[in-house]
Amino acid sequence: MHCTLSTQYAGRRVCVTTMHKKEFDTTLNPRVVALKLSKTMALTDLASSMREGGMDVVGLAAGEPDFDTPSQILDAGIEALRTGKTHYTPNTGTHVLRQAICNKLEQENGLEYTPAQVVVSNGAKQSIWQAVLAVCSEDDEVLIPAPFWVSYPEIAKLAGAKPVIIDCPAQDEFLLTPAALKASLTPASRLLILCSPSNPTGSVYSRKDLEAIAEIVADHPHLMVLSDEIYEHIMYAPAEHHSFAALPGMYDRTLTVNGFSKAFAMTGWRLGYLAAPHHVAKAAAAIQSQSTSGASSIAQHAGVAALQLGPKGGQPVQRMREAFQQRRDFVVKQLQQIPGVTLVEPKGAFYCLPVMASFFGPSASADGFGAIPDADTLCRYLLETGLVATVPGDAFGAPDCIRISYAASMADLEKAMERLSTSLKKVLHNSE
């Protein structure tokens, strides 16, 4: 130690030793740094902030039902609170809930699982994450048909796998074709993710569609399928739901994910599940045991009540499904009347994904707003001038589109469609 600075204090020379401060390491895990934030959540939060500021924003960005949880489910949750069901549960869920899930899968989906093959988690997103992490190794490829749910590629990357995006254009109803799947397969292909009904398109795979995909999967022993069936009860006739695991030869190749958020309007309860072959369920359970442990005991008790409402959710879910269909029909009709909009009619879920490329590009602009080069800017334009919140399609691997959620009241949808039409009419191209 030596004197690097001296000064006078009270008539005495004081030696001050200065230390070179070392900057501590602020780096993060590269996998985490590479993650993209969800644009769905960002737009929803922005719309909420604008509403809190007194602006009459209609939010069509959020992916959740606008209905309250059915009363029978609420009563079960309250009962759990009042009868002391507020303690830890087994890591993979209570036996009574896992057995109820097995009964549901057998009666509605034609799938036979034991409770040991079911892992109940804090929402279907956690179930998907644990399934991907359980079966994918470093540099394995996860095949993701686009348009896709925003979290699929990010979950694959976080697991160390490589997301391989397969473009599924509007002319194919946004569905994966056998030819596109074959063209994307490599020796590294490990997992194919299917979502039917789809978020963000509302498209539904027919049994014939799935059988054609299953034939290709059967020829690739390294390939498994994650079937995301969270929207299975929000389906509009004549469309029908088919579980991939129920197809011949696919039971041992399929990881089935479902949950309670969408059909039962239980998004805040955070309850989902994975049904899978024993070795995968055991691996997912191990991951969960070292992360979150079991889901909420209260939510699990309520989940049992949800599965007791009747086939396909009984009358409470049927009423919500009928309301969603009425809203879908209205939104589809309104969008089809707007020149320049191309729409694939959704057959399930509560989203539509119109192709909006006519309203943005190098020459597109709007008076008082400015240039509209892409879908991101178009959504900002609709929010700032029309007070309608939507989500740009590039978040879903569909840069020519925007996603509209019709999980809103008819009054809000009527207001939103009128505003949307008015705002789009003001979009001009330089050549016009």
Side-chain angles (χ1 to χ4, degrees):
M1 182 181 296
H2 61 280
C3 185
T4 58
L5 178 67
S6 64
T7 185
Q8 292 290 323
Y9 177 73
R12 299 175 58 189
R13 180 177 178 272
V14 178
C15 180
V16 180
T17 302
T18 59
M19 305 290 289
H20 292 291
K21 183 179 180 182
K22 294 182 178 180
E23 294 185 5
F24 77 97
D25 190 346
T26 60
T27 57
L28 299 172
N29 186 319
R31 293 184 188 176
V32 175
V33 173
L35 291 178
K36 297 178 182 178
L37 294 176
S38 169
K39 286 189 178 180
T40 304
M41 297 304 299
L43 266 295
T44 301
D45 291 347
L46 178 58
S48 298
S49 176
M50 292 173 67
R51 278 195 294 268
E52 289 172 0
M55 304 180 77
D56 182 25
V57 174
V58 180
L60 303 184
E64 68 171 333
D66 60 313
F67 300 103
D68 291 332
T69 304
S71 60
Q72 301 95 318
I73 301 173
L74 292 176
D75 290 343
I78 294 169
E79 179 189 40
L81 289 167
R82 289 178 171 166
T83 57
K85 294 181 175 65
T86 56
H87 303 279
Y88 289 136
T89 71
N91 174 51
T92 57
T94 65
H95 181 82
V96 65
L97 176 57
R98 285 182 290 130
Q99 184 60 62
I101 290 170
C102 291
N103 295 342
K104 178 265 181 217
L105 290 170
E106 182 176 8
Q107 295 163 11
E108 296 184 0
N109 306 90
L111 298 170
E112 292 188 13
Y113 290 98
T114 66
Q117 293 175 272
V118 174
V119 179
V120 176
S121 301
N122 298 278
K125 182 181 286 190
Q126 182 180 359
S127 299
I128 293 170
W129 154 242
Q130 292 176 169
V132 174
L133 186 59
V135 302
C136 290
S137 301
E138 192 81 18
D139 297 327
D140 275 346
E141 293 178 350
V142 178
L143 307 180
I144 304 172
F148 49 73
W149 179 48
V150 294
S151 293
Y152 293 147
E154 306 310 306
I155 287 174
K157 288 189 287 186
L158 197 56
K162 176 186 176 182
V164 176
I165 308 304
I166 308 174
D167 185 44
C168 303
Q171 56 262 36
D172 293 329
E173 297 187 12
F174 296 126
L175 296 173
L176 177 66
T177 64
L181 175 57
K182 285 182 179 179
S184 302
L185 287 168
T186 74
S189 300
R190 177 56 173 157
L191 187 66
L192 167 66
I193 299 182
L194 296 175
C195 181
S196 180
S198 164
N199 173 9
T201 68
S203 297
V204 173
Y205 287 92
S206 68
R207 184 178 179 86
K208 184 178 179 181
D209 294 331
L210 295 176
E211 287 174 341
I213 292 172
E215 287 183 14
I216 298 171
V217 173
D219 290 335
H220 293 77
H222 187 60
L223 185 63
M224 300 189 75
V225 175
L226 190 153
S227 183
D228 183 350
E229 304 183 5
I230 190 69
Y231 294 97
E232 70 162 324
H233 289 330
I234 307 175
M235 187 91 69
Y236 313 120
E240 295 181 346
H241 177 72
H242 301 280
S243 288
F244 196 83
L247 300 177
M250 291 298 108
Y251 180 87
D252 291 328
R253 308 284 292 275
T254 305
L255 318 176
T256 300
V257 171
N258 210 323
F260 298 80
S261 294
K262 311 300 184 178
F264 298 103
M266 293 178 67
T267 50
W269 296 76
R270 309 312 303 133
L271 197 64
Y273 59 87
L274 166 71
H278 281 281
H279 69 290
V280 178
K282 184 177 180 180
I287 296 167
Q288 184 159 296
S289 73
Q290 298 295 354
S291 54
T292 64
S293 298
S296 160
S297 60
I298 300 153
Q300 290 188 58
H301 194 67
V304 174
L307 294 177
Q308 293 174 342
L309 291 176
K312 298 182 179 180
Q315 283 300 312
V317 174
Q318 175 65 22
R319 285 192 291 269
M320 288 188 276
R321 183 166 51 245
E322 290 172 352
F324 284 135
Q325 182 161 1
Q326 179 188 14
R327 298 168 181 184
R328 179 206 65 165
D329 293 345
F330 171 76
V331 170
V332 166
K333 182 179 179 181
Q334 295 301 308
L335 289 173
Q336 288 175 337
Q337 292 175 354
I338 300 175
V341 173
T342 301
L343 182 67
V344 176
E345 182 174 300
K347 298 177 180 178
F350 38 71
Y351 312 102
C352 56
L353 194 76
V355 179
M356 306 292 284
S358 298
F359 301 97
F360 57 82
S363 63
S365 64
D367 288 342
F369 178 83
I372 307 178
D374 50 35
D376 274 66
T377 312
L378 178 63
C379 287
R380 184 165 58 85
Y381 165 68
L382 295 175
L383 181 58
E384 292 182 8
T385 66
L387 298 181
V388 178
T390 57
V391 186
D394 66 331
F396 309 98
D400 288 345
C401 304
I402 66 173
R403 192 190 74 170
I404 294 173
S405 168
Y406 48 87
S409 68
M410 279 300 297
D412 278 348
L413 290 174
E414 289 171 358
K415 187 189 302 182
M417 289 300 105
E418 181 179 354
R419 292 177 179 179
L420 193 74
S421 178
T422 300
S423 294
L424 292 175
K425 287 177 183 177
K426 296 177 181 178
V427 176
L428 301 173
H429 290 266
N430 291 339
S431 59
E432 296 178 357

